[in-house]
Amino acid sequence: AQSVTQLDSQVPVFEEAPVELRCNYSSSVSVYLFWYVQYPNQGLQLLLKYLSGSTLVESINGFEAEFNKSQTSFHLRKPSVHISDTAEYFCAVSDTGGYQKVTFGIGTKLQVIP
Amino acid sequence: DAGITQSPRHKVTETGTPVTLRCHQTENHRYMYWYRQDPGHGLRLIHYSYGVKDTDKGEVSDGYSVSRSKTEDFLLTLESATSSQTSVYFCAIPRTDNYGYTFGSGTRLTVV
């Protein structure tokens, strides 16, 4: 079984400041890792994913996450946030076999302050 | 996302009444999932299906049943709704690249 821990339930940050949303996972098998974003009153959208290879993965809107196997972490970062980044962010993990069941963290609400 | 729709989008129901939520997909995926989202709990898996008439329980399945009589439809039923089932319910299917999910827009259910 897998589990995901998101260490911060809310993160306030000023516009144009950097941000890091923390995620740690636990699993006895190889995993895929994901970050999803949920804007108010919407469903979840995939932001980025780590499957294999390069441990640094990037999204099209400037977010990046780094897979650290030794620390079992997959933290999400952005060097300069915008108001439009205000949303809830979910870290998720799945095993690598077949059609994987995905386990989600409790979410981190990112509030960007003007 | 295109390819997966949920109905209704909003529903208010009374305690003790049965409720059925529908998830419809046009991607012909074998797998479909039902999650509930609650503050402080994130998303938790209720039930999933791995084919027509093939379903299995998730971590919070008590009080819920599902049915899958056609590939495209996955129904979630609350046999006798309780206030603890007030939640936002999401249906999901595997993404086109088979890594991660595509989610429906959700159903906000309020049990009064």
Side-chain angles (χ1 to χ4, degrees):
Chain A
Q2 299 105 27
S3 66
V4 177
T5 301
Q6 290 185 246
L7 299 167
D8 305 296
S9 59
Q10 295 188 58
V11 174
V13 62
F14 286 103
E15 193 173 16
E16 299 183 3
V19 69
E20 178 179 81
L21 307 183
R22 296 179 293 169
C23 172
N24 288 90
Y25 71 93
S26 173
S27 177
S28 58
V29 299
S30 297
V31 296
Y32 297 140
L33 293 159
F34 308 89
W35 277 99
Y36 285 81
V37 59
Q38 184 180 34
Y39 298 103
N41 298 313
Q42 295 186 24
L44 279 75
Q45 305 170 31
L46 183 65
L47 186 62
L48 48 75
K49 61 181 182 287
Y50 170 78
L51 305 177
S52 64
S54 173
T55 57
L56 186 66
V57 291
E58 299 177 351
S59 72
I60 59 173
N61 57 352
F63 282 93
E64 63 180 30
E66 187 163 18
F67 170 57
N68 188 318
K69 188 173 182 179
S70 63
Q71 297 185 7
T72 61
S73 67
F74 191 55
H75 300 331
L76 181 70
R77 303 183 182 96
K78 189 170 185 180
S80 176
V81 295
H82 301 126
I83 292 290
S84 60
D85 294 323
T86 295
E88 190 160 18
Y89 293 80
F90 292 90
C91 183
V93 63
S94 74
D95 61 51
T96 60
Y99 286 104
Q100 320 87 17
K101 283 184 292 181
V102 181
T103 300
F104 290 85
I106 65 171
T108 298
K109 291 185 177 179
L110 174 63
Q111 181 183 7
V112 180
I113 304 165
Chain B
D1 274 24
I4 181 170
T5 55
Q6 293 183 234
S7 60
R9 289 296 310 275
H10 302 273
K11 186 170 182 66
V12 179
T13 192
E14 293 185 351
T15 299
T17 61
V19 177
T20 296
L21 310 183
R22 180 178 183 244
C23 179
H24 178 79
Q25 58 135 340
T26 58
E27 306 300 314
N28 201 36
H29 267 294
R30 180 180 167 198
Y31 279 70
M32 298 183 75
Y33 307 84
W34 275 109
Y35 283 85
R36 61 178 288 175
Q37 182 181 17
D38 304 286
H41 292 278
L43 279 81
R44 293 177 291 174
L45 182 65
I46 306 172
H47 280 281
Y48 67 100
S49 171
Y50 47 95
V52 173
K53 297 185 179 180
D54 291 323
T55 65
D56 205 350
K57 296 178 179 180
E59 64 177 298
V60 290
S61 59
D62 287 349
Y64 302 95
S65 63
V66 290
S67 65
R68 183 117 179 255
S69 59
K70 298 185 292 185
T71 299
E72 57 265 35
D73 290 326
F74 191 31
L75 305 181
L76 177 70
T77 297
L78 291 65
E79 301 290 347
S80 177
T82 67
S83 58
S84 65
Q85 293 176 311
T86 292
S87 186
V88 181
Y89 292 86
F90 286 100
C91 179
I93 58 174
R95 286 169 48 86
T96 303
D97 63 5
N98 292 330
Y99 300 113
Y101 294 156
T102 296
F103 283 88
S105 298
T107 295
R108 184 174 295 274
L109 177 68
T110 302
V111 182
V112 297

